[in-house]
Amino acid sequence: MGSVRAIQVERDLSPEPGKRRPSGLGTVTTVFLLASPLLLLSFLFGDRALASLAADYPVWQRLTAQGSGNGNASASRNAEGSGAHDRLLGGLLSPDFDAAACLSRYEASRRWKPSPFRPSPYLIHKLRQYEANHRRCGPGTASYRAAMAQLMSGRNGDGAAECKYVVWLPLQGLGNRMLSVVSTFLYALLTGRVLLVHETPEMEALFCEPFPGTSWVLPPDFPYTDGFSAYTQESYVNMLENGIVRHDGAGGDAGALPAYVYFHLEQISLRLQNHTFCEEDHRVLDRFNWMVLRSDSYFAVALFLMPAYGGELGRMFPAKGSVFHLLGRYLLHPGNGAWGIVERFYDGYLAGADEVLGIQVRIAPFIPMTFEAMYEQITRCAREHELLPQVMTGTTGEPSSAKVKKKKAVLVVSLKPEYYERLHSVYYTNATATGEVVAVFQPSHDQDQHTEALAHNERALAEIFLLSYSDRMLTSGFSTFGYVAHALAGIRPWLLMLPDRNTMRAQVACVRPASVEPCLHSVPSLVCRAQQDLDPVAHVPFLRRCEDVDVGFKLVD
């Protein structure tokens, strides 16, 4: 089988590591801690000592002394943090921020590889236009106070309201949240709404404010943040079924509508509700000044199925496979707490390498693979596509300086420590056939996911960004965490396929996806289309089925 056809919704498959707050570089597997004097010094003397001693890490120090055959690559990686760089990402970011308030905003790009996509002038125009509208309508403004007064009156405002809003509510784990908030922002760009984010305690200051001169955080006195589901009375589908709203507009003027509409976009058995991505439904939704939205999906893909949005989307994104890459880099900046973890770990472990291979492992709970089966699949993929060098079993010591070709860092991101421990053991005790020296690192391993904890989410966000700084990447199919990391990087990863349910082995270990875009697992119901148009992949040239989820869609160039 190798991919998903009909399974239950992913209850956040994003691997979010680390129960314990890292000291400096994070919690590193105990075996490696005992083997590394550098880490011991870090624990004894703190993070600053680690930054100053990073160059003394034994593997990189030996190779520098011997003289690597690929030293220029290492020098280039180390120089990334000091040279000039495109701090505004080709005009994507506004320059109107205090850099100290959000260190990652202008620094993250130092470590990314050059982007394969440049933002279109029209997208840049739309972002500056949105920022001006958010400043005019955001929290604390007279327009926001007027809109709140209308909301509390219990009725919708008239059709000429100055400001309209979409309130995003978090659902599931960090990967799902990042995918859905980027999708909601795209929806706000298309509909002229202002995006407000309900910042729950486990997300407090996790991300920086993305819009200059204003805030995207929903004020705490907003009354409608809890208890929403597909059965909520205020949901659009229920309003439609109960005759409160109608496609023909016969429900009266906009002022007679309820005060807000709830838009439910949670995936259930890999499907979304009916009446979520049909044009007649969105014409009705546009009449509401306030929308509350809850989603765990990358529903940005479904917006491309609506002809009414086609023109704007085409002008914003001439390369359809760039949507999350560009909007994610624009919107999602780690707060200073998470960013400190990124900087300390990258500078302490990864900056001295000629190449970084990121390996992200997540076991899907609906197909529970054993460690041995997953490890075999990882190594099979790495062997078939030459991601890792073969070892000379039974050898000891380092190859001679004449044979040393490359210093490779392997970054393992997983809730479990076993994958790191096995890979570390292999490359610690054996020389490689190619002369490459491989060092394996894991920032943290929580065993279990704790989305409810802020410290856990900070480490998870840090590891997403660390993965995004890889030169090459191997990620788990169906994992939203992996999707976000490779889309931010602009890298097509090697995607580990889900195993056959009967044999618990994937016939094909991994595949290269068609684009860097995340997959929309939850297929939109297209009840508004003619029967022959129910499969948009057959008619839309920039859509493909997902490699890891047969029923899913993704955008391609």
Side-chain angles (χ1 to χ4, degrees):
M1 185 174 73
S3 52
V4 180
R5 293 187 180 276
I7 55 181
Q8 284 298 310
V9 56
E10 172 188 23
R11 308 308 298 177
D12 182 33
L13 298 187
S14 51
E16 301 170 355
K19 282 185 181 178
R20 296 168 291 173
R21 178 178 292 276
S23 174
L25 295 183
T27 54
V28 182
T29 305
T30 304
V31 172
F32 189 70
L33 173 61
L34 295 176
S36 172
L38 175 60
L39 277 180
L40 183 58
L41 286 171
S42 168
F43 273 70
L44 291 176
F45 300 107
D47 300 338
R48 294 187 181 277
L50 180 60
S52 64
L53 294 171
D56 292 332
Y57 176 66
V59 172
W60 306 145
Q61 184 185 43
R62 278 199 303 276
L63 286 175
T64 302
Q66 292 171 348
S68 169
N70 195 23
N72 289 337
S74 179
S76 174
R77 181 179 295 279
N78 285 318
E80 285 170 359
S82 58
H85 72 289
D86 182 10
R87 65 195 296 267
L88 300 182
L89 300 177
L92 199 65
L93 304 182
S94 167
D96 301 331
F97 281 99
D98 173 14
C102 180
L103 298 174
S104 69
R105 186 187 319 278
Y106 300 132
E107 293 299 312
S109 55
R110 288 187 186 276
R111 296 171 176 85
W112 276 321
K113 303 300 168 287
S115 173
F117 307 104
R118 191 156 186 88
S120 69
Y122 189 68
L123 175 60
I124 293 171
H125 163 73
K126 290 289 289 187
L127 293 174
R128 301 293 90 83
Q129 187 181 63
Y130 175 88
E131 291 163 0
N133 190 46
H134 200 118
R135 283 193 296 271
R136 184 170 55 87
C137 298
T141 64
S143 297
Y144 180 81
R145 289 190 291 271
M148 278 298 294
Q150 167 261 304
L151 177 69
M152 300 309 294
S153 73
R155 307 304 297 172
N156 189 48
D158 60 37
E162 182 180 15
C163 301
K164 299 172 76 174
Y165 301 85
V166 54
V167 174
W168 176 85
L169 303 183
L171 182 64
Q172 305 301 341
L174 185 60
N176 298 74
R177 294 181 185 197
M178 294 171 78
L179 293 177
S180 69
V181 78
V182 166
S183 299
T184 306
F185 178 62
L186 178 58
Y187 178 72
L189 283 178
L190 292 169
T191 58
R193 292 183 182 271
V194 169
L195 169 64
L196 297 177
V197 168
H198 180 40
E199 191 177 76
T200 47
E202 75 275 8
M203 292 186 64
E204 187 175 354
L206 184 62
F207 295 98
C208 299
E209 293 281 359
F211 313 125
T214 184
S215 176
W216 72 337
V217 177
L218 183 71
D221 60 349
F222 188 82
Y224 306 115
T225 58
D226 298 315
F228 289 104
S229 73
Y231 306 103
T232 299
Q233 181 180 351
E234 293 83 6
S235 78
Y236 171 71
V237 172
N238 286 336
M239 285 188 187
L240 191 66
E241 290 177 350
N242 295 328
I244 297 172
V245 295
R246 292 172 54 177
H247 289 149
D248 59 10
D253 60 45
L257 294 173
Y260 71 96
V261 62
Y262 169 59
F263 200 32
H264 183 77
L265 294 175
E266 181 180 8
Q267 57 183 6
I268 300 174
S269 297
L270 298 185
R271 293 197 68 82
L272 296 172
Q273 281 185 305
N274 292 342
H275 301 291
T276 50
F277 292 102
C278 295
E279 292 205 12
E280 57 266 35
D281 296 302
H282 280 254
R283 284 194 292 269
V284 178
L285 289 166
D286 284 345
R287 301 177 71 200
F288 287 89
N289 294 337
W290 284 94
M291 172 187 286
V292 177
L293 186 150
R294 194 163 177 259
S295 175
D296 56 358
S297 302
Y298 185 55
F299 67 86
V301 180
L303 297 172
F304 282 79
L305 302 179
M306 301 178 61
Y309 298 148
E312 283 287 280
L313 290 168
R315 295 174 70 189
M316 284 192 282
F317 302 103
K320 302 300 185 293
S322 68
V323 176
F324 189 91
H325 176 76
L326 295 174
L327 292 186
R329 287 188 173 196
Y330 169 80
L331 196 68
L332 303 172
H333 309 288
N336 287 352
W339 183 245
I341 299 172
V342 174
E343 287 196 308
R344 292 189 293 272
F345 195 93
Y346 185 93
D347 293 345
Y349 290 104
L350 306 181
D354 296 310
E355 180 181 286
V356 176
L357 171 67
I359 299 179
Q360 179 257 340
V361 187
R362 178 68 172 191
I363 302 296
F366 47 82
I367 310 181
M369 295 179 69
T370 65
F371 161 74
E372 292 294 343
M374 176 56 88
Y375 183 79
E376 183 277 334
Q377 186 173 340
I378 291 169
T379 54
R380 182 158 44 109
C381 173
R383 180 177 63 254
E384 290 174 353
H385 301 289
E386 299 181 341
L387 301 178
L388 285 171
Q390 297 297 301
V391 298
M392 295 184 292
T393 306
T395 60
T396 58
E398 298 290 346
S400 66
S401 60
K403 294 182 179 180
V404 171
K405 293 181 179 180
K406 184 181 292 185
K407 299 170 290 184
K408 175 173 285 191
V410 179
L411 174 68
V412 178
V413 173
S414 174
L415 288 170
K416 310 297 182 183
E418 292 85 357
Y419 303 98
Y420 157 77
E421 291 169 351
R422 178 71 65 85
L423 284 169
H424 170 69
S425 176
V426 167
Y427 287 102
Y428 182 75
T429 57
N430 299 287
T432 62
T434 59
E436 295 175 83
V437 171
V438 178
V440 182
F441 309 100
Q442 178 172 14
S444 62
H445 48 84
D446 256 19
Q447 296 288 349
D448 300 305
Q449 184 171 299
H450 293 280
T451 302
E452 76 287 353
L454 175 60
H456 175 85
N457 290 329
E458 284 186 338
R459 290 190 292 273
L461 181 58
E463 294 194 12
I464 284 175
F465 271 75
L466 285 169
L467 273 173
S468 78
Y469 296 141
S470 302
D471 297 283
R472 295 192 289 176
M473 206 180 300
L474 192 159
T475 63
S476 296
F478 206 77
S479 170
T480 57
F481 188 102
Y483 292 165
V484 172
H486 75 68
L488 284 174
I491 291 174
R492 292 190 300 129
W494 291 103
L495 195 63
L496 293 168
M497 301 299 284
L498 295 178
D500 182 276
R501 285 177 178 273
N502 297 318
T503 64
M504 285 296 159
R505 188 179 191 273
Q507 184 176 2
V508 177
C510 57
V511 299
R512 202 85 184 273
S515 74
V516 306
E517 274 287 288
C519 175
L520 170 60
H521 296 163
S522 42
V523 180
S525 174
L526 301 177
V527 295
C528 45
R529 306 291 177 85
Q531 183 66 34
Q532 66 271 19
D533 194 28
L534 288 179
D535 180 11
V537 171
H539 303 278
V540 181
F542 49 80
L543 277 183
R544 294 287 187 278
R545 292 289 180 190
C546 302
E547 293 81 7
D548 53 335
V549 185
D550 285 352
V551 298
F553 298 152
K554 72 186 306 178
L555 297 166
V556 299
D557 298 328

